[in-house]
Structure formats: C-alpha cells, structure tokens
Amino acid sequence: MTRELDLAYTTMVAELLDRVLDAQFDADFDETGLFRKRKVNDRSYWYYKPSERGTAAQPDKYVGPADDPAIAKRVSQFAAIKDDYQRRRKLVSTLTREARLFSPDKKVGDLIEALWKAGVFRLRACLVGTVAYQAYGAVLGYRLAGTAMQTGDIDIAQFRATSVAVEDSIPPILEILQTVDAKFRPVPGLRDEKGITRFAGRNGLRVEFLTPNQGSDDRMGRPVSLPALGGAAGEPLRFLDYLIHDPVRTVILYKGGIPVLVPQPQRFAVHKMIVATRRSGSGSKDLKDLRQANSIATALLATGRHAGLTEAFHVAEKRGPHWREALAKARKRMQPLGLNDVEKCLNAS
C-alpha cells in the first residue's frame, strides 16, 4: 500500500491548519482589542493591544510579521473569525484513523497544547527532535516510517535574537508545565546563571529548550536566556541555526489540532545527517538520526520534491569544511545500511 496520502487527506490537513490558526486567534486576542503595526529594525510587525476598559493597562502582545500573508489575512478578518472545534476534531479523527497519520499520546499532546495556548509558537519558538519528525506526515502528505515510536521528550528551539525582538513573553514556564503535570521540576545544570534549560515530569516526560550557538565553542554548556519563554534558557548548540531557519507551520493531530512551527523537512534531514556523525559512542541514536533523514528523503522522492533536499544539502555544504566532512561521513555510513534515498535525491536533481 502506498504511503503517499490521497488528495482528499492532504486537503483536510490544509483545512485543519487553516481552522486551527483561526482558533488560535480566537484564543489569543479578544475582539474588544485592536491590532496595530510597529516597525522594528526596518521590518513591520503586528501587535495586539488589549482593551483597557475596566482593567489596568496591559502591554501590547506580539502577533507576527506584517508581511506574513496568513497573519495579515486573519488580522483583516478578525471580527469574522469563529472557532469550530467540533469540525476540527472530526478532521483530526479522519486524518489519524483513515489516513493513519501520527497522533501523540495524551501526556505529550496535553503538554504541546499547553505550550501552544501559552503562546510558545506564536512567539516563533520551533519544535525540533522526534516530535517534529512525527509531524512531517502532515507537511509532506506522506506516511513516514518510524513515526509510531512514542517519546516523552519535547525539544523546543528559538533564536536568542527573536526572543528579544518580540518584546513579549509567555507566563512562567514552570507554571505552564505544572498545569499538565504538577510534578514538573527544573533539572539544574552546572551553569544556570541565565536560567534553566531542562524540565522533567513523571513517567519520563521531559521538556528542553535549545538555542543556536553562533559564537565561540567556549559558550557551549552555558545556557542563554530566552526572555520570550517565561524564564527558560536555551542550551546553545552548533548547527541549530541552520535547522530552525525559516520554519514551516503544521498541525499536531491531537484533540482539535495544535498549530506549531517545525523546521523545513529537507533541512531536518540534512541536520540529522550531521548530528549523527557527532554522536559519541556506538549507541542507537545515530542510527535513528540516519533513518529519519532517509525516511524524509523517501517522502520527498515520492512526492516529487527531491530538489528541495538537494538545495538544502548544498546550502549546508557551503557553511564550511566541517559541514562538508560531516555530510560526507554520513553518506558513507548510510550506504551499507541500505539507506539510499538521500543519494537518490541528490542524484536525481
């Protein structure tokens, strides 16, 4: 049976994402307030000003770039937007039962939902890791291999510059996590002057915040404050700026749908190849990385979008000799494992 989704299901995904973004505006912005543009560093952004009638003055809330068509559309149609939760639940049910796309278990779904409602993805934070990989079926219109593996790890990345520029913040991150699991606690590190990067709950549930390390290596292991994320800090990592550059919107298929940002799938695949070569020891994580990269390549080939992987690969190679060395090493390792679809993509373009 083909893994590529029928057109009817890909249309449902698009409708669900559109509806759930409408629902996000309903949840985030009361109709008594108003939207207005603000220019920051020569680029215009939408901000929402809550109504102050009968309440104390409240700060403006960051919405997003003024040149984002999806946001501009909803600003203009704000008064007419209505949530249709039951319709969205039916779409999610169809996509998970009939199209057999992945849906997270309750503990992970509830946690992502709480982060969404708090504003994490509105403030341009991005899901990465296995949870992001599991969401790519909706992005690519293809049932990816290996998505059924459940995980309790939720990794969220944000650029430090973005976190500062939005001039907004979610509520205290620990309070948000504890609405899902009262046992959530920070996991202290050795250098936590700028904040905590890891939080752990019951039954292996874990949330970690990451940020690109674009400075010297002596910054590794030193958390970077992310003021938009409610007191959380980010663990600085190499190669992460490539991964989360210009992320894409998709929807987590849970309850009525949860709109999130994830990396471009082709960049995710290339990043997984690089990360696999930097794993220490001979554990299974590097093999999982390479299999996920190849699975995305399989989907891109099947849907005629293999040129996107080639372009992402060449962008990475231009980053320098360390990038080229890592990618060459990953390609060499994938061949005897029978993971050949990355090579097929590169040779087909």
Side-chain angles (χ1 to χ4, degrees), residues 214-226:
Q214 296 172 288
S216 61
D217 285 340
D218 60 10
R219 293 177 58 187
M220 301 295 289
R222 296 179 180 272
V224 176
S225 66
L226 298 174

Side-chain angles (χ1 to χ4, degrees), residues 48 126 129 167 196 225 238 294 337:
Y48 172 79
C126 182
E167 297 182 346
I196 303 293
S225 66
R238 288 289 186 196
N294 195 71
L337 294 171

Side-chain angles (χ1 to χ4, degrees), residues 266 269-270 297 300 305-314 342 345-346:
Q266 61 269 26
V270 172
L300 293 171
R305 288 177 280 187
H306 49 276
L309 180 61
T310 302
E311 180 182 359
F313 194 92
H314 291 331
V342 168
C345 282
L346 297 177

Side-chain angles (χ1 to χ4, degrees), residues 102-115:
F102 181 80
S103 180
D105 65 13
K106 185 178 188 305
K107 65 180 182 179
V108 172
D110 285 346
L111 194 50
I112 297 173
E113 182 184 45
L115 293 168

